[in-house]
């Protein structure tokens, strides 16, 4: 397994831990790994990932982009349904939730249309 894949997985795990700590701040995990520590780890992992790429721009694949978007919104919904309450105000009652979900849906629609356009241009050539 490549090191960049392991780093991406670690970033996803710590991102998930950050979300869980925000929704459930009084758990054992939240006491051991505070939000500040998780943020520092995430920043360090991102810096390592960027330096490993040596300045090359790596575009996120469409499947990965859709997957990360669905994962983030899904995590948000699941943690809320489990009874968690976000410390920064992410909830179903907040209009911000619906604005973010709408914007993400529009962006996913844009990505889908762009993908279909690229496929039709590839077939026409």
């Amino acid at each position: 397994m490549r090191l960049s894949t392991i780093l991406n997985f670690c970033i996803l795990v710590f991102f998930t831990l950050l979300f869980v700590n925000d929704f459930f701040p009084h758990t054992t995990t939240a006491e051991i790994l505070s939000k500040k520590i998780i943020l520092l780890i995430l920043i360090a992992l991102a810096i390592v990932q960027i330096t490993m790429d040596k300045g090359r721009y790596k575009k996120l694949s469409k499947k990965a982009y859709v997957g990360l978007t669905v994962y983030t919104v899904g995590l948000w919904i699941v943690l809320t349904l489990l009874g968690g309450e976000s410390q920064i105000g992410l909830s179903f009652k907040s209009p911000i939730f619906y604005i973010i979900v709408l914007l993400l849906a529009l962006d996913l629609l844009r990505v889908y249309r762009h993908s279909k356009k690229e496929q039709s241009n590839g077939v026409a050539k």
Side-chain angles (χ1 to χ4, degrees), residues 59-108:
K59 187 175 179 182
L60 194 61
S61 73
K62 289 172 185 57
K63 286 182 181 179
Y65 179 76
V66 170
L68 284 174
T69 303
V70 170
Y71 178 78
T72 302
V73 173
L75 185 62
W76 188 355
I77 291 169
V78 167
L79 291 175
T80 301
L81 292 176
L82 287 174
E85 189 173 323
S86 175
Q87 303 300 303
I88 59 172
L90 303 174
S91 73
F92 293 130
K93 298 174 188 172
S94 170
I96 298 291
F97 173 79
Y98 295 102
I99 291 169
I100 290 173
V101 169
L102 178 67
L103 290 173
L104 287 172
L106 290 172
D107 195 39
L108 288 175

Side-chain angles (χ1 to χ4, degrees), residues 2-124:
R2 292 184 34 200
L3 184 58
S4 70
T5 305
I6 294 170
L7 281 172
N8 287 336
F9 178 75
C10 289
I11 289 171
L12 185 66
V13 167
F14 281 101
F15 175 76
T16 303
L17 280 174
L18 186 64
F19 249 72
V20 171
N21 280 0
D22 181 51
F23 278 85
F24 299 102
H26 302 294
T27 59
T28 307
T29 307
E31 291 174 11
I32 295 170
L33 289 172
S34 70
K35 289 180 195 174
K36 290 179 184 178
I37 292 172
I38 294 173
L39 279 173
L40 288 173
I41 292 170
L42 277 172
I43 291 169
L45 288 171
I47 290 171
V48 169
Q49 181 71 15
I50 290 169
T51 55
M52 278 187 44
D53 290 338
K54 297 180 180 132
R56 291 176 295 181
Y57 177 71
K58 291 174 101 177
K59 187 175 179 182
L60 194 61
S61 73
K62 289 172 185 57
K63 286 182 181 179
Y65 179 76
V66 170
L68 284 174
T69 303
V70 170
Y71 178 78
T72 302
V73 173
L75 185 62
W76 188 355
I77 291 169
V78 167
L79 291 175
T80 301
L81 292 176
L82 287 174
E85 189 173 323
S86 175
Q87 303 300 303
I88 59 172
L90 303 174
S91 73
F92 293 130
K93 298 174 188 172
S94 170
I96 298 291
F97 173 79
Y98 295 102
I99 291 169
I100 290 173
V101 169
L102 178 67
L103 290 173
L104 287 172
L106 290 172
D107 195 39
L108 288 175
L109 182 63
R110 178 191 61 82
V111 168
Y112 174 76
R113 286 182 178 166
H114 187 264
S115 174
K116 286 296 181 187
K117 188 177 177 180
E118 281 181 353
Q119 286 177 355
S120 66
N121 286 343
V123 170

